Amino acid sequence: MEFKFEKLIIWQKAMDFGEEINALANKFPKSEIYNLSSQIRRAVDSVALNISEGSTGQTNPEFIKFMNYAIRSFAEVVTCLYKAKRRDYISEPEFKTQYEFAWNLMNMMIAFKDKIK
């Protein structure tokens, strides 16, 4: 038995990305625990959560609405990555790795959303 969203590659990749970002946020200084660490974790978790919530909706327009929420959360994650890099919490290679993954998954999500219509 499986929920509909579990079959979605974008959900699976968003789940993986969430774990990667969570591990990265563990490296941030303790002074960021209620700020950037918390923000990036909530934003990255929101991506997979919105995909799953939208997939259980009754209509395509509703699913598109939740996909838009997921995409916006993704943009927030990328901005948090930039902040982490600027504050020297993550290295340039760490940033590039996560940025590339984010770029590819974001494009997959946009393509998926466009096909829902």
Side-chain angles (χ1 to χ4, degrees):
M1 186 160 43
E2 200 170 61
F3 286 95
K4 178 181 172 182
F5 61 84
E6 291 176 277
K7 297 176 188 173
L8 297 174
I9 301 295
I10 56 170
W11 178 82
Q12 294 168 12
K13 287 186 178 287
M15 291 290 289
D16 293 341
F17 189 60
E19 298 313 306
E20 289 288 323
I21 294 299
N22 187 57
L24 200 61
N26 284 335
K27 297 179 176 184
F28 295 3
K30 295 224 183 284
S31 62
E32 289 287 5
I33 197 164
Y34 299 112
N35 296 313
L36 193 58
S37 298
S38 175
Q39 190 68 33
I40 198 169
R41 284 184 172 115
R42 284 182 287 118
V44 79
D45 285 347
S46 181
V47 176
L49 291 168
N50 277 300
I51 293 169
S52 62
E53 188 174 356
S55 75
T56 61
Q58 300 298 313
T59 64
N60 284 349
E62 186 176 8
F63 196 1
I64 290 168
K65 177 176 76 170
F66 280 94
M67 286 301 300
N68 283 330
Y69 294 154
I71 290 165
R72 288 178 187 146
S73 291
F74 226 118
E76 189 175 343
V77 172
V78 171
T79 299
C80 288
L81 286 171
Y82 269 106
K83 290 223 169 256
K85 184 179 81 160
R86 285 178 171 214
R87 295 174 185 175
D88 293 322
Y89 301 158
I90 61 174
S91 67
E92 184 67 27
E94 287 172 316
F95 174 82
K96 284 183 178 182
T97 298
Q98 300 308 325
Y99 186 90
E100 277 183 37
F101 192 94
W103 174 261
N104 291 328
L105 183 51
M106 172 87 81
N107 284 317
M108 288 175 66
M109 289 169 55
I110 290 168
F112 179 82
K113 181 191 75 147
D114 290 345
K115 288 184 180 182
I116 295 172
K117 297 176 182 181

